[in-house]
Amino acid sequence: MFFLRGTEFSPIWTGRSSVPQLLINLHGLDHTISYGGCVAQLFFWLGLGSTESVLLVVMAFDRYAAVCRPLQYTAIMHPRLCQALALVSWAGGFANSLVQTGLMMAMPLCSHRLNHFFCELPVLLKLSCKDVERTEAKMFISRAIIIVIPPALILGSYVHIARAVLKVRSEAGRRKAFGTCGSHLLVVSLFFGSAMYPHLQPSHGYSESKGKFVALFYTVVTPMLNPLIYTLRNKDVRGALRKVLGRGRDSE
């Protein structure tokens, strides 16, 4: 529950860093954003997204401790360690964002016209005037640290969890363990699946039309789905949803 609050807070504010500008572009006559506003948007969007990436790894470790070390769980995941892990997640996420934003600001831009609804990194890279191979390589390493390493660690933790669950003789126990991890795995798949496409390819191969669709998914759709995915674990929520769906069918 402690880390769940962080993973719910981060997507909400990630959306708030980009969706307001999207609404202004859709309904307003002025489709401009200042350079400072663009940099601030990029910094907070990268920082919050990177923080969520690290928090998802921490949650996987929490699941590992709960399933594989149930008797030692309270000793392992004591409040001080949880607070320290949360602090490291936020500090690491925004440190990564600071590096990438700083490298982006050092690059001269040939054009100031963005074919996008917010200041996304791959789009800004395509506006650079000079050869960006070295800078892009440094930025790629920063992105890989936050997009490639976390899912690898999460996958490794779930391999151990799967082995432990398969040893459980009780079917109810196995179902409970998989139910505990299922919502987290779904959120991980949505987050990293949509983040890998725009951020793990060279800028010259980036498609702006496809990029806008993927960006819309992980800035609007995913933050909306996350609370629903996590709350469906609750029996009362599932029961209320069944009642609502049942009434809808009866009315038809």
Side-chain angles (χ1 to χ4, degrees):
M1 183 63 70
F2 180 85
F3 298 114
L4 188 58
R5 293 171 188 166
T7 54
E8 287 304 303
F9 176 85
S10 179
I12 291 172
W13 283 97
T14 302
R16 288 189 178 184
S17 67
S18 57
V19 173
Q21 187 64 38
L22 169 63
L23 297 176
I24 291 172
N25 292 340
L26 289 174
H27 297 287
L29 296 175
D30 186 10
H31 295 173
T32 62
I33 182 172
S34 66
Y35 179 74
C38 185
V39 170
Q41 187 183 67
L42 178 66
F43 173 74
F44 283 106
W45 183 80
L46 286 174
L48 291 165
S50 300
T51 299
E52 184 179 0
S53 175
V54 182
L55 281 172
L56 288 171
V57 177
V58 174
M59 286 185 68
F61 174 71
D62 179 72
R63 299 292 194 278
Y64 167 80
V67 175
C68 300
R69 299 287 187 272
L71 299 179
Q72 295 86 25
Y73 177 78
T74 53
I76 296 171
M77 302 301 294
H78 54 84
R80 286 187 180 180
L81 178 62
C82 291
Q83 292 170 6
L85 290 172
L87 181 62
V88 168
S89 299
W90 284 92
F94 276 91
N96 185 280
S97 174
L98 184 62
V99 171
Q100 295 195 67
T101 305
L103 290 170
M104 188 66 241
M105 289 179 66
M107 297 168 58
L109 303 179
C110 288
S111 172
H112 296 280
R113 294 180 64 88
L114 283 174
N115 184 17
H116 213 294
F117 60 85
F118 80 106
C119 296
E120 193 181 24
L121 191 59
V123 181
L124 293 172
L125 283 171
K126 294 193 76 170
L127 299 179
S128 177
C129 292
K130 62 178 184 179
D131 185 14
V132 295
E133 285 188 5
R134 289 187 178 182
T135 304
E136 191 173 353
K138 295 175 183 177
M139 298 173 80
F140 182 83
I141 292 171
S142 298
R143 293 198 299 273
I145 289 172
I146 217 72
I147 297 178
V148 176
I149 295 178
L153 293 174
I154 292 170
L155 181 62
S157 69
Y158 273 104
V159 168
H160 290 286
I161 289 172
R163 288 176 180 173
V165 171
L166 291 175
K167 292 179 182 178
V168 177
R169 296 181 179 180
S170 168
E171 184 178 347
R174 288 198 298 269
R175 190 179 303 168
K176 182 179 179 181
F178 281 124
T180 302
C181 302
S183 56
H184 178 248
L185 271 175
L186 183 55
V187 170
V188 167
S189 301
L190 288 172
F191 178 80
F192 289 106
S194 58
M196 284 181 177
Y197 170 76
H199 297 287
L200 290 183
Q201 60 176 310
S203 58
H204 59 79
Y206 178 76
S207 170
E208 293 180 348
S209 58
K210 293 180 181 178
K212 280 189 283 188
F213 175 78
V214 175
L216 187 66
F217 183 83
Y218 64 69
T219 57
V220 179
V221 178
T222 301
M224 291 173 60
L225 289 176
N226 284 359
L228 180 63
I229 292 169
Y230 283 122
T231 53
L232 283 177
R233 290 174 51 197
N234 188 290
K235 293 181 180 179
D236 295 333
V237 174
R238 290 200 301 269
L241 183 61
R242 287 185 187 126
K243 287 181 182 179
V244 171
L245 295 175
R247 288 174 186 173
R249 290 174 184 173
D250 294 338
S251 62
E252 291 176 0

